Amino acid sequence: DGGITQSPKYLFRKEGQNVTLSCEQNLNHDAMYWYRQDPGQGLRLIYYSQIVNDFQKGDIAEGYSVSREKKESFPLTVTSAQKNPTAFYLCASRAQETQYFGPGTRLLVL
Amino acid sequence: GESVGLHLPTLSVQEGDNSIINCAYSNSASDYFIWYKQESGKGPQFIIDIRSNMDKRQGQRVTVLLNKTVKHLSLQIAATQPGDSAVYFCAENTYRGTSYGKLTFGQGTILTVHP
């Protein structure tokens, strides 16, 4: 897991609720990424940020939002607009071409 | 869009055997490839990488081979151990405009090592 931490490990969301997943890194990496992983599928990119105060939509951004106010932090909010949020969420940061991942957060819907 | 895929979804081997996990890619412009290992409930762990100007790269007990002619990538694990049991997936990176730093991932191969 290197210097990337994600919290919480498990998160429960009620209907209509927004929840925020935390991602912190102490690797001094500029670029950070959020992925969603569903059983039997490859990682899908939600959002990414190449530098502080800038971020771009990935392939499945609908129903999610992010911010990048600090280099170390890239929180992901799963909004009520995301109708199928149950998944394993992975945060990564990049050094040159290689992305390194955090331990993940499993989001479940109550 | 172009994608990275795997030939075999599952692989079972005996402890001590060598394992070979395969990956096919379709984007001939891909410049860089990575293999990750993911244990159950954990984040992917970097294993080894290779650039498109190389054919082979070796690490500790692992070797990655790249065949650009047939767009094929393989991960070889020597003397496979029970601790190697995990999902292995490859990823490609294409340096092209806004795609810089974006990886495309395969679905993964489940490796099971029997004692």
Side-chain angles (χ1 to χ4, degrees), chain A residues 6-96:
Chain A
Q6 291 186 241
S7 62
K9 186 172 182 179
Y10 295 96
L11 184 58
F12 298 91
R13 193 191 89 163
K14 296 179 181 179
E15 290 288 337
Q17 184 183 39
N18 293 352
V19 293
T20 298
L21 285 62
S22 170
C23 178
E24 303 279 332
Q25 54 100 359
N26 61 2
L27 302 170
N28 201 35
H29 292 167
D30 286 316
M32 297 184 73
Y33 303 79
W34 272 107
Y35 294 91
R36 170 180 172 141
Q37 187 175 38
D38 294 282
Q41 298 189 33
L43 301 180
R44 292 186 289 167
L45 182 64
I46 304 173
Y47 267 98
Y48 64 104
S49 169
Q50 301 279 30
I51 198 168
V52 175
N53 293 321
D54 183 64
F55 49 83
Q56 306 293 330
K57 291 183 178 180
D59 301 319
I60 55 165
E62 185 175 353
Y64 300 97
S65 65
V66 294
S67 63
R68 186 82 187 281
E69 298 176 0
K70 299 186 299 181
K71 188 175 187 178
E72 302 79 19
S73 179
F74 190 39
L76 173 74
T77 296
V78 183
T79 74
S80 58
Q82 172 49 245
K83 298 307 179 185
N84 184 23
T86 298
F88 191 47
Y89 290 86
L90 289 160
C91 177
S93 66
R94 177 169 59 84
Q96 299 181 338

Side-chain angles (χ1 to χ4, degrees), chain A residues 1 9 33 35 37 40-43 45 48 50 59 88 90 94 96-103 106, chain B residues 32 34 36 38 41-46 49 51 89 93 95 98-103 105-108:
Chain A
D1 300 336
K9 186 172 182 179
Y33 303 79
Y35 294 91
Q37 187 175 38
Q41 298 189 33
L43 301 180
L45 182 64
Y48 64 104
Q50 301 279 30
D59 301 319
F88 191 47
L90 289 160
R94 177 169 59 84
Q96 299 181 338
E97 303 99 331
T98 306
Q99 292 186 23
Y100 298 93
F101 288 86
R106 187 164 299 280
Chain B
Y32 177 69
I34 308 172
Y36 289 96
Q38 186 175 23
K42 297 184 179 180
Q45 176 186 0
F46 172 87
D49 57 1
R51 296 184 184 277
F89 55 90
N93 193 346
Y95 296 98
T98 57
S99 294
Y100 184 86
K102 290 176 65 177
L103 295 177
F105 295 88
Q107 293 182 325

Side-chain angles (χ1 to χ4, degrees), chain B residues 44-97:
Chain B
Q45 176 186 0
F46 172 87
I47 301 174
I48 193 168
D49 57 1
I50 189 168
R51 296 184 184 277
S52 58
N53 61 355
M54 303 170 67
D55 297 323
K56 179 180 180 179
R57 192 171 187 206
Q58 289 184 296
Q60 187 176 12
R61 282 201 306 118
V62 295
T63 301
V64 55
L65 299 177
L66 177 61
N67 186 331
K68 294 181 286 295
T69 302
V70 296
K71 298 178 190 171
H72 185 266
L73 189 70
S74 68
L75 176 71
Q76 300 179 2
I77 305 174
T80 314
Q81 303 168 0
D84 294 327
S85 294
V87 175
Y88 291 81
F89 55 90
C90 60
E92 64 173 330
N93 193 346
T94 306
Y95 296 98
R96 180 179 298 161

